[in-house]
Amino acid sequence: MSLVTAGSFNPAFHFLGLIQKAIADGVSRHCVHVGGPDIYIVPKEQLYYCADPSIDALQGLCLAAPFDVRVELVPDWQPNKPKDLKAGRMLISYKKMAEQPTLIAKPLAALLWYAAYVASNGRLLQGQSAQTSVRLRSSPNFSYCFHNGHDIVLAAFMLEHSAELTAVAEKTGVPLPQVYDFFNASVVLGLVEAEPSLNFDPANYLLSVIDMAKADGQVRRCALAGVAPLYIVPSEGCFYSEADVAGIAKYCTAPFSDMEVGPLDETEQEEVVQVGRMVVRRKTSAAALPKVPPRPLSGLLFRAALYASQGRLMTGYALDTPVRLKDWPDKAMLKESAAIKEERYFFPISAYMTSNTATLADIAAALHLSLPEVINFHNACVIAGLL
């Protein structure tokens, strides 16, 4: 078995970090690296555009340091959009087909996977441990994800077994550096499920979107297949959505990579349209929030931690450490919880934890609750600043 390249893999030092930043802020980017094709990252569409059909053409870009890549923010960019030429008071659209090669749209997930896979170079992703038991919650889509023969072997094994990465290498016969490359790319796409233990990372879920919105003050629109959009409005301390309780729970448990997230454009926009024989610009109406009552963002923050925890304790906390609540959770949220069967235990556990200092296991035993329920509630209280 070959030796692992020294050091850990930090996405911030590679093109992968630029992709992740684009996904986080929802702004399209035009990226250029010497010797490679131009590439456009369009997070709102979950697509990237490139004239070269082979992803191998992007290897140099994915291996390059961020400062070696020229990056231009292009918020209003559209693929293969005709250029505008102003002649007097008229606006004429034209396109130089010979000078503009057609851009091909491909899944952004394919670029994320390839950027992580190539740049890992046998190094384990920063923050991960080779001694943590992991398994795949779903297989990479090999119809568009770059792969070698051993990756199919790894996917098959890790879908069926939970094991440490060193054990995965031993059982499959795949060298550990190649296991790391596959594992890192799977983590980036949110395909890896760690063994339920002290391994809940809020950054992988809706909590990270809420934190970003509160940090920059921008409205965030979240979309998830089969569920009404969710709008986070930090300036008002609330969120809007036509989704029901079950729909909100889906947003809370979904990995960040499964959601389409972007800032809501509340400004007036312009579009080019043809009126008779003339081509003119006209203003379009701004994006609007759904016409439903606002709901407290504090309640969403609490539930985002509660449902995403899935029985996993947050890093930095221990099951045998006694804890106590400083105060009850938000009263408006508790009013809603009274009508939700899965959340009615909030009342006895809040009463007990504000009156007693005890370990999580002791709390579960005293209230006849499951330990995962207590862990989930504990994590939510940590995020809400109640411990």
Side-chain angles (χ1 to χ4, degrees), residues 69 152 168 221 237 250 265 365:
V69 181
I152 298 175
V168 171
R221 179 185 184 275
K250 287 182 179 179
D265 189 359

Side-chain angles (χ1 to χ4, degrees), residues 266-320:
E266 300 179 288
T267 60
E268 287 190 326
Q269 301 176 346
E270 288 188 338
E271 63 179 357
V272 179
V273 297
Q274 184 169 345
V275 180
R277 295 184 178 181
M278 298 184 62
V279 178
V280 298
R281 288 188 182 274
R282 72 179 182 188
K283 293 186 180 295
T284 59
S285 58
L289 295 170
K291 298 187 182 302
V292 295
R295 297 163 66 181
L297 191 56
S298 57
L300 180 63
L301 188 72
F302 192 92
R303 289 191 173 100
L306 180 89
Y307 289 117
S309 294
Q310 300 174 58
R312 299 167 297 173
L313 194 60
M314 289 181 63
T315 301
Y317 295 86
L319 291 172
D320 58 356

